[in-house]
Amino acid sequence: MGIIRKTQSITILLNEFADDTVAIAATELAKRLKTQLNKTTIYRLLSKLEDDGIVHSFLDRNGTKWYAKCTGCTTAKHADIHPHFQCTDCGKVDCLSIEIPIPNIPNRKVTISQMLLQGKCEHCLAQSSD
Amino acid sequence: MGIIRKTQSITILLNEFADDTVAIAATELAKRLKTQLNKTTIYRLLSKLEDDGIVHSFLDRNGTKWYAKCTGCTTAKHADIHPHFQCTDCGKVDCLSIEIPIPNIPNRKVTISQMLLQGKCEHCLAQSSD
DNA sequence: GTTTATGCAAATTCTTTGCAATACT
DNA sequence: AGTATTGCAAAGAATTTGCATAAAC
């Protein structure tokens, strides 16, 4: 869509997305970058980056909004192919690299599908005795 | 969980869930019942009904919280089996009566899976030329 | 007669808007 | 210089909390 200027703010913000599969909550970004960027700027940039297909967003069960970099996804319908996983123990969220097919529903034309998975992540599984 | 008293408020609220598969937004309920119930009561009752497995809730892409009656779902993990569908034209949301299997993810123990589908509903499909 | 539910006002949390000041090309 | 970006304060929307009153068992 729009042209994104390489401003200092963009650089600071994108630096937070070092790991391509780990998602970050918008509120966490606002907190983390508080001293460097205004929260208005952060929210505005995130939304612009999403419009431009640089990042994608999704909501967890608590209504927290998460952002992650788009690596595999196309601009048009990003975040719609791969599921997201949230650990119920540590709360961390990430993108899974598998594709979930869009189910075929009678009498409807389904174009977008989103899946949120919850359970224990690798790290928290190792911690517990199971 | 708790015992739900058959209060007048509960009756009024549950009356709104006449259709078992159609979901209603929490804000819509607050608006619709404004003259009869206080919004605090509405939010409190919804959350209690959810705890008791009478209704289940989920969020759409806009962060709007939707509630629907639990017909097929068990108390323990309701709303986790069937996907929800939102029409991108009219905005209506409902529960689909199919079961989506929880995908098996390596190194993780996935226990909950939620799917939100978007597209055109039967009614809006008929309206448009497609 | 207790216990739980309700209403009201105010607080909270997350996000957005309007506008003047600033940075980018 | 001219346009897009940023910061700040304030507004907005959804939900929650504390507490006194009212209703249910």
Side-chain angles (χ1 to χ4, degrees), chain A residues 61, chain B residues 13-14 16-26 29 46 49-59 65-73 78-79 82-85 93-96:
Chain A
R61 285 277 305 159
Chain B
L13 184 59
L14 281 180
E16 298 296 319
F17 291 94
D19 191 326
D20 282 0
T21 62
V22 174
I24 316 173
L29 281 169
L46 285 173
L49 287 170
E50 183 168 24
D51 284 347
D52 282 28
I54 315 288
V55 300
H56 62 271
S57 76
F58 51 94
L59 296 163
K65 195 166 195 177
W66 297 82
Y67 283 90
K69 249 198 195 156
C70 292
T71 38
C73 23
H78 47 158
H82 66 266
H84 295 103
F85 176 86
V93 177
D94 50 13
C95 300
L96 299 178

Side-chain angles (χ1 to χ4, degrees), chain A residues 74-99:
Chain A
T74 64
T75 307
K77 34 187 244 165
H78 47 157
D80 303 328
I81 315 114
H82 65 266
H84 296 102
F85 176 88
Q86 181 164 42
C87 179
T88 48
D89 275 25
C90 67
K92 277 190 190 153
V93 176
D94 52 13
C95 301
L96 299 178
S97 58
I98 59 166
E99 267 196 39

Side-chain angles (χ1 to χ4, degrees), chain A residues 89 120-130, chain B residues 107-108:
Chain A
D89 275 25
K120 279 200 184 186
C121 71
E122 186 166 16
H123 180 258
C124 289
L125 268 181
Q127 295 288 303
S128 61
S129 42
D130 302 302
Chain B
N107 302 324
R108 287 172 233 231

Side-chain angles (χ1 to χ4, degrees), chain B residues 21-89:
Chain B
T21 62
V22 174
I24 316 173
T27 52
E28 168 64 21
L29 281 169
K31 213 178 294 166
R32 215 185 272 180
L33 300 175
K34 192 189 316 211
T35 55
Q36 312 173 64
L37 294 179
N38 186 272
K39 64 180 168 191
T40 307
T41 305
I42 296 173
Y43 282 110
R44 255 185 313 220
L45 287 182
L46 285 173
S47 135
K48 180 175 294 189
L49 287 170
E50 183 168 24
D51 284 347
D52 282 28
I54 315 288
V55 300
H56 62 271
S57 76
F58 51 94
L59 296 163
D60 69 13
R61 285 278 305 158
N62 308 314
T64 304
K65 195 166 195 177
W66 297 82
Y67 283 90
K69 249 198 195 156
C70 292
T71 38
C73 23
T74 63
T75 308
K77 35 186 244 167
H78 47 158
D80 302 330
I81 316 114
H82 66 266
H84 295 103
F85 176 86
Q86 181 164 42
C87 178
T88 48
D89 275 25

Side-chain angles (χ1 to χ4, degrees), chain A residues 5-8 26-27 39-40 43-44 65:
Chain A
R5 288 192 179 177
K6 256 187 223 146
T7 64
Q8 214 177 3
T27 53
K39 64 182 166 189
T40 306
Y43 283 109
R44 254 185 314 223
K65 196 164 194 179

Side-chain angles (χ1 to χ4, degrees), chain A residues 106-125:
Chain A
N107 303 324
R108 289 173 230 229
K109 195 171 152 190
V110 181
T111 47
I112 307 173
S113 165
Q114 287 197 287
M115 187 178 251
L116 176 67
L117 302 176
Q118 288 176 277
K120 279 200 184 186
C121 71
E122 186 166 16
H123 180 258
C124 289
L125 268 181

